[in-house]
Structure formats: C-alpha cells, structure tokens
C-alpha cells in the first residue's frame, strides 16, 4: 500500500509538472499587449509579416515580422513621410491627430509585397510595393479619393480589386499598374453588410477579403446597438457575389481582422480589442472549418491560451531602450521610434554630441501637443517604465524639455526655464486641461526623469518621478489618470520633447531612454 501511494503521488506530481510545463510553452492572449490596431497579415513560406496603423506618426505603416505568430519585431515602415502639409507638419496651428493614414491592407503577389492605406488628411489612397519588405526600396503610387477601410485583393485571373466602404460595401477594379481605378468598374458589392448582426450602431467596415478553396470570404467589423464589436463574414462563389453573411464572433469586443494559416495547415484569425489607455491590442484565435465556413474561437470564445510558442516579451521587438550611441552603418533612429507628426530634420541630431539625442527649438509654441519634434514609442502592458537622463545646461528662457506620456490627456515631467531659474515640473492633463501640479527648483545641469504606467485590468494610471543622481527617485506631481480618447485614437506613448515658448535655438540633450516591462516595487 505504501509503495502504491508513493507511485500515485509520483504520477500526480508528474502530471502537474507536465501540465505546468505545457502552460509555460503556450502563448497567451493578447499576443501583443500594446497599441497595434488594424492589423493585416501575410505568410511567405515560414515567415509572417504584419502591417498596422499609427496614423499621425512618422514614419508610418509599421511592418512587423514573426516566425511563430507570437513573437514580433519591427522591420520597416511603408513610408517615411506621408505628405508635406501643415496638418502633418504641425505648422500654422494645424494637426492631424487621429487621422493621417488608417487601416492598411498587406498582400504578397508574384514575388512582390504590397501595402495599401488611405488618409483622410490628404484625401488619397496609397499603394506601396517592394520586392524586399525588410530593406526596400518602396515604390509608391497614390490616387484620389481616399477609399475607406479597403481591402486590396489580387485574384487568380490577374485582376486587382479594392473592396471598401461602411455599411454599403463597394468593389472596384484597379489599373494593371495599380495607378488608379479602372473606369466603369465600381459597383455595390453588398447593399447592407451589417444585416447579419441586427440593429446597427457602427455599420460594417474594416473589410479584409480572402480566397480559400475557390470561395471568397469577406471579413468585417460591425457594432450592434447595445451590443459589442462583432465579426461578420460574408461568403460567395464569385468575387462580385452574390454574398451570404453570418455573425462569426461576439466575444469581449474582439473583432476586425482576417485569416492566416500556418505551413502545417492550421488556421487562425487575427483581430484586436479596445483595451483602455494602452490602446488596441492584437488577439489570435484558432479557426476550424464547417460546411465551408470559418468557425472562429473555441465554443464561440477567444481562448486565453494558444497552442503556439510562448511570448519572449515585447522588448526589444516592439519597444526598446536606446543609449543614443551609434556605430557606423547604424540607423539614426531604431524602428521602435516614431515622431509625433513629421519632424523638422534640421532640429534634431545624434551626431552633434555623440551618445546624446539633441532636440533644438526652431520656433515658439504654446503647448506640448502642438510642439514639433517630439520623439515617441509605445507603452506596453500590463506595466512598464520609461526613464531618461536630461542635460539642461543649454536650454534658453521659456524652454520646456523632458519626458511625457502622449495622448490628448497627457502627463509630463520636465524642466522649465524662467529667466535664470530652472525648475522640475509635473504637468497633469488627465482632466483634459493641463495643470502644473508641482515644481521643484533645479540647481544642477543634469536631471533624471521616470514614468511608470499600470494598465492592469484597465487601471490606466501613471506616476512620474525625478532624481538628481539617477539612484534615489522622488515622486513629483499627481497620479495621471490615462484615458484613451478618440481625438488621438491611439494608446499612450512615451515621449521625449523640447519646445520653446519665448526664444529659439535652445537645446536639450537626452543621454538615453530606457524602457522596462516592470515598475519599481
């Protein structure tokens, strides 16, 4: 009996061990706990590529790469600058927050990668193409108008289409060189694509079209009144229809995306979910097939775990620390960085003072949100911390430089210069109005700044700190309640900034930016 009990205990322990080991090997949703919305995805051989939306950021349309659908890293952008205009340049009092370029469509056809997008700001549709998606170069064509939430599609007969619209979905054929619309080809594809989900608040949009086993499958998002973001799929034997539709998924608002398969023949749907202040975060769910329809999820739900490799984290693939030191051949700025709107490239440098990012003022501004040359990268969940070291010795009267959390309701910790005096200040715009909560005199040339973010269960709060030696940290100001706002339409971002309010020509030198996926205990 004793031996039997020992054996049973051993078996139970072994089962627990292997169960825990299996859990450790599993991926977890969301697959990226950061703002990566409007994904479009392709597989080429054993490699996956994904594009996303970053709207008013420059460069734009980020391209990510993975070999397992879980661990992604930035490898390129489709464009450096969308256009040269006041709204994109933050000049003459204009901005394009929440606009810029929206949902992209990625395709691979005939050995070439294609990424298309559209912009309300310019009123145009853009198609970028390259043989080498990681290195370029990109060829760009654009034409009017701006086709909303379109899906680029190459059919087997060589014809190229765009499917676009909201509620009423349209199809049109492109010229062979993709330079514009082939005249006389535009017509309604589905009169009311929202119909399967009932009474509508948000009409069906976010089109993504796929062809599987000679049938066409059109994915859309819709939002029934009193309900949640919903996946609707329409199916047809011909690209022009007729289409029949059904609700494919209603689970926690996880929606908008499409299909991807593995080299082994497994199918998944990629989508995203509104997740508070961190932004819109990507999810994967298994897909099975029944009666010629893709069946999303497990018993109608997106599972918490996936039979895919475990995530190795989002550092340095999605966000990364930067010591601002460069070797010959290095990029000036790693791909994790994006400017808030188009930068003025004459007013920033990594070469003037080696090992430092220098931001120089070239005009006067009245607010952080209208200041040019603010350098940003994503925050990540469930918690994260960003810190920097700032040399303020060459700032001028009226200058303000430091570390921010960028959104409409932003938070800032930085140094203000008033005459011969410098103060460390914390600005809290969590209520929608910017308030200088606290100021502390600064009598040395270097200050260290830190921001800690907590996105657990949509707590969405951030705290700022300063240090005079980089070791002992002191809280400053009040806790920022972070809010995802539609005017910006983007998760909070770490931001390095410097702007002048009285003079030009002052500069701030940032020694480093460091990001972690934990906060101070």
């Amino acid at each position: 009996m004793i031996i039997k009990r020992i054996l049973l205990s051993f078996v139970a322990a072994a089962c627990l061990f292997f169960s825990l080991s299996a859990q450790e090997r599993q991926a977890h949703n969301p697959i990226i706990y950061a703002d990566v919305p409007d994904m479009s995805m392709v597989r080429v051989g054993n490699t996956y590529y994904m594009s996303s939306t970053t709207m008013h950021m420059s460069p734009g349309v980020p391209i990510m790469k993975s070999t397992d659908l879980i661990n992604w890293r930035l490898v390129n952008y489709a464009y450096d600058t969308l256009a040269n205009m006041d709204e994109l340049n933050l000049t003459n009092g204009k901005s394009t927050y929440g606009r810029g370029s929206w949902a992209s469509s990625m395709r691979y056809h005939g050995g070439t990668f294609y990424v298309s997008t559209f912009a309300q700001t310019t009123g145009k549709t853009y198609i970028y193409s390259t043989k080498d998606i990681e290195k370029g170069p990109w060829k760009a064509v654009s034409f009017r108008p701006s086709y909303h939430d379109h899906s680029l599609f190459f059919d087997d007969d060589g014809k190229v289409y765009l499917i676009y619209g909201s509620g009423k979905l349209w199809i049109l054929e492109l010229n062979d060189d993709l330079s514009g619309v082939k005249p006389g080809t535009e017509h309604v594809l589905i009169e009311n694509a929202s119909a399967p989900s009932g009474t509508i608040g948000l009409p069906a949009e976010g089109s993504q079209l796929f062809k599987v086993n000679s049938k066409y499958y059109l994915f859309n998002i819709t939002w029934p009144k009193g309900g949640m973001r919903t996946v609707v799929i329409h199916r047809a034997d011909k690209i022009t229809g007729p289409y029949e539709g059904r609700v494919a998924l209603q689970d926690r608002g996880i929606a908008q995306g499409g299909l991807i398969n593995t080299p082994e023949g497994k199918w998944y749907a990629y989508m995203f979910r509104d997740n508070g202040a961190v932004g819109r975060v990507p999810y994967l769910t298994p897909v099975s097939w029944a009666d010629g329809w893709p069946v999303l999820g497990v018993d109608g739900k997106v599972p918490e775990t996936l039979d895919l490799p475990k995530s190795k984290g989002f550092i340095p693939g999605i966000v990364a620390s930067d010591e601002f030191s460069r070797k010959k051949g290095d990029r000036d700025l790693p791909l994790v960085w994006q400017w808030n709107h188009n930068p003025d490239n004459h007013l920033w440098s990594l070469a003037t003072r080696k090992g430092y990012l220098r931001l120089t003022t070239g005009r006067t501004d009245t607010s952080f949100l209208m200041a040019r040359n603010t350098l940003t990268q994503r925050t990540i969940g469930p918690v994260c911390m960003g810190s920097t070291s700032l040399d303020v010795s060459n700032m001028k009267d009226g200058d303000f430089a430091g570390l921010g959390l960028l959104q409409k309701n932003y938070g800032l910790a930085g140094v203000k210069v008033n005459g011969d005096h410098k103060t460390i200040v914390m600005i809290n715009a969590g209520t929608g109005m910017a308030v200088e909560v606290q100021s502390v005199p600064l009598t040395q040339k270097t200050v260290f700044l830190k921001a800690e973010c907590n996105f657990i269960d949509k707590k969405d709060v951030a705290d700022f700190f300063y240090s005079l030696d980089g070791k002992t940290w002191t809280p400053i100001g009040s806790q920022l309640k972070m809010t995802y706002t539609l005017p910006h339409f983007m998760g909070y971002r770490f931001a390095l900034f410097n702007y002048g309010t009285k003079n030009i020509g002052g500069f701030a030198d940032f020694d480093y930016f460091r990001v972690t996926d934990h906060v101070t205990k």
Side-chain angles (χ1 to χ4, degrees):
M1 289 296 294
I2 295 176
I3 294 174
K4 185 176 181 180
R5 284 198 297 269
I6 293 173
L7 287 172
L8 288 172
S9 298
F10 174 79
V11 170
C15 289
L16 178 61
F17 171 79
F18 285 115
S19 175
L20 292 173
S21 297
Q23 290 179 20
E24 285 297 306
R25 292 195 301 270
Q26 287 181 324
H28 290 260
N29 271 316
I31 60 168
I32 302 176
Y33 206 141
D35 193 55
V36 185
D38 304 330
M39 308 95 73
S40 184
M41 203 179 291
V42 297
R43 176 177 62 83
V44 180
N46 295 320
T47 304
Y48 306 91
Y49 293 98
M50 175 171 67
S51 62
S52 180
T53 295
T54 49
M55 292 174 286
H56 49 274
M57 294 293 166
S58 178
V61 189
I63 308 297
M64 301 182 184
K65 175 184 179 180
S66 175
T67 57
D68 59 15
L69 286 172
I70 298 298
N71 293 285
W72 295 88
R73 63 181 177 90
L74 284 154
V75 294
N76 210 340
Y77 289 90
Y79 64 79
D80 288 324
T81 302
L82 181 67
N84 183 13
M85 57 194 299
D86 284 342
E87 289 86 350
L88 290 164
N89 293 337
L90 283 177
T91 49
N92 293 318
K94 295 182 179 181
S95 70
T96 193
Y97 282 111
R99 297 188 298 276
S101 62
W102 278 10
S104 58
S105 179
M106 177 183 283
R107 298 295 184 208
Y108 180 74
H109 176 74
T112 299
F113 291 91
Y114 298 86
V115 177
S116 62
T117 187
F118 66 103
Q120 293 178 332
T121 309
T122 64
K124 292 183 178 181
T125 296
Y126 299 82
I127 301 178
Y128 302 93
S129 60
T130 182
K131 294 287 186 181
D132 189 339
I133 197 169
E134 298 186 41
K135 297 180 181 178
W138 293 89
K139 175 186 175 183
V141 297
S142 63
F143 48 86
R144 296 184 182 275
S146 172
Y147 288 108
H148 179 79
D149 274 12
H150 66 255
S151 180
L152 181 64
F153 187 81
F154 293 83
D155 211 346
D156 298 336
D157 59 5
K159 294 182 179 181
V160 190
Y161 298 91
L162 283 184
I163 294 87
Y164 73 97
S166 179
K168 180 183 290 188
L169 301 183
W170 297 74
I171 187 171
L172 54 83
E173 187 180 345
L174 297 179
N175 296 327
D176 293 342
D177 61 0
L178 310 187
S179 59
V181 178
K182 187 172 288 188
T185 63
E186 187 174 20
H187 65 270
V188 175
L189 187 69
I190 303 173
E191 185 67 38
N192 182 10
S194 310
S197 62
T199 307
I200 295 305
L202 175 71
E205 58 181 23
S207 294
Q208 294 201 35
L209 183 67
F210 306 89
K211 191 174 187 179
V212 182
N213 295 330
S214 300
K215 286 187 180 293
Y216 298 87
Y217 297 90
L218 182 59
F219 279 61
N220 291 97
I221 177 185
T222 185
W223 199 330
K225 287 182 180 179
M228 67 181 73
R229 299 168 79 253
T230 298
V231 180
V232 171
I233 300 176
H234 285 79
R235 181 182 74 173
D237 294 321
K238 296 181 179 179
I239 193 169
T240 52
Y243 281 83
E244 56 177 330
R246 60 170 58 177
V247 171
L249 184 71
Q250 286 183 315
D251 180 26
R252 293 171 286 164
I254 301 168
Q256 191 164 342
L259 290 171
I260 193 76
N261 65 350
T262 70
E264 297 77 27
K266 292 184 178 180
W267 287 87
Y268 291 89
Y270 55 87
M271 297 167 288
F272 66 86
R273 180 188 184 192
D274 296 337
N275 209 66
V278 76
R280 296 178 288 170
V281 299
Y283 279 70
L284 277 179
T285 190
V287 172
S288 56
W289 292 85
D291 300 323
W293 286 94
V295 179
L296 277 56
V298 179
D299 297 326
K301 302 293 182 183
V302 176
E304 296 297 322
T305 60
L306 299 160
D307 187 20
L308 289 167
K310 184 182 178 182
S311 172
K312 298 174 183 176
F314 314 127
I315 302 171
I318 306 298
V319 300
S321 299
D322 193 344
E323 299 298 317
F324 298 127
S325 58
R326 300 290 183 264
K327 297 177 182 177
K328 188 176 181 179
D330 287 349
R331 295 180 60 94
D332 286 343
L333 288 173
L335 294 168
V336 293
W337 290 112
Q338 287 177 287
W339 297 99
N340 178 21
H341 292 65
N342 294 339
D344 182 339
N345 289 316
H346 296 95
L347 297 174
W348 68 273
S349 175
L350 288 160
T352 306
R353 183 181 180 186
K354 291 190 181 299
Y356 287 80
L357 167 69
R358 176 165 294 181
L359 298 180
T360 303
T361 64
R363 68 184 194 189
T364 57
D365 285 293
T366 57
S367 73
F368 168 65
L369 293 181
M370 292 305 296
R372 207 167 178 188
N373 281 18
T374 295
L375 189 60
T376 81
Q377 57 175 290
R378 294 170 178 83
T379 56
I380 57 174
V383 298
C384 61
M385 177 174 65
S387 62
T388 190
S389 171
L390 175 62
D391 183 338
V392 302
S393 53
N394 293 289
M395 294 171 64
K396 291 187 175 183
D397 181 25
D399 288 0
F400 184 23
L403 172 67
L405 288 169
L406 173 63
Q407 234 276 0
K408 177 179 175 290
N409 298 350
Y410 58 85
L412 308 174
V415 174
K416 278 189 174 181
V417 182
N418 186 8
D420 295 329
H421 302 284
K422 295 182 177 69
T423 54
I424 309 168
V425 301
M426 189 271 172
I427 307 291
N428 193 322
T431 63
M433 296 182 61
V435 178
E436 184 175 311
V437 180
Q438 184 180 358
S439 64
V440 178
L442 179 66
T443 58
Q444 61 189 51
K445 71 174 187 177
T446 302
V447 65
F448 302 84
L449 304 167
K450 179 172 69 172
E452 296 183 347
C453 303
N454 184 343
F455 301 109
I456 297 173
D457 296 328
K458 297 185 182 179
K459 190 174 183 181
D460 293 351
V461 293
D463 297 284
F464 288 86
F465 304 81
Y466 75 92
S467 174
L468 300 178
D469 59 7
K471 298 176 182 178
T472 303
W473 293 92
T474 303
I476 186 168
S478 56
Q479 189 171 74
L480 174 69
K481 181 65 177 87
M482 296 181 286
T483 306
Y484 187 95
T485 68
L486 289 182
H488 278 217
F489 218 173
M490 185 175 288
Y492 276 75
R493 282 178 165 249
F494 291 115
L496 303 179
F497 69 92
N498 179 34
Y499 66 93
T501 61
K502 299 178 183 178
N503 296 286
I504 63 172
F507 56 87
D509 287 341
F510 295 85
D511 189 12
Y512 60 78
F513 173 79
R514 294 170 186 162
V515 62
T516 67
D517 57 5
H518 58 272
V519 297
T520 306
K521 297 285 186 179

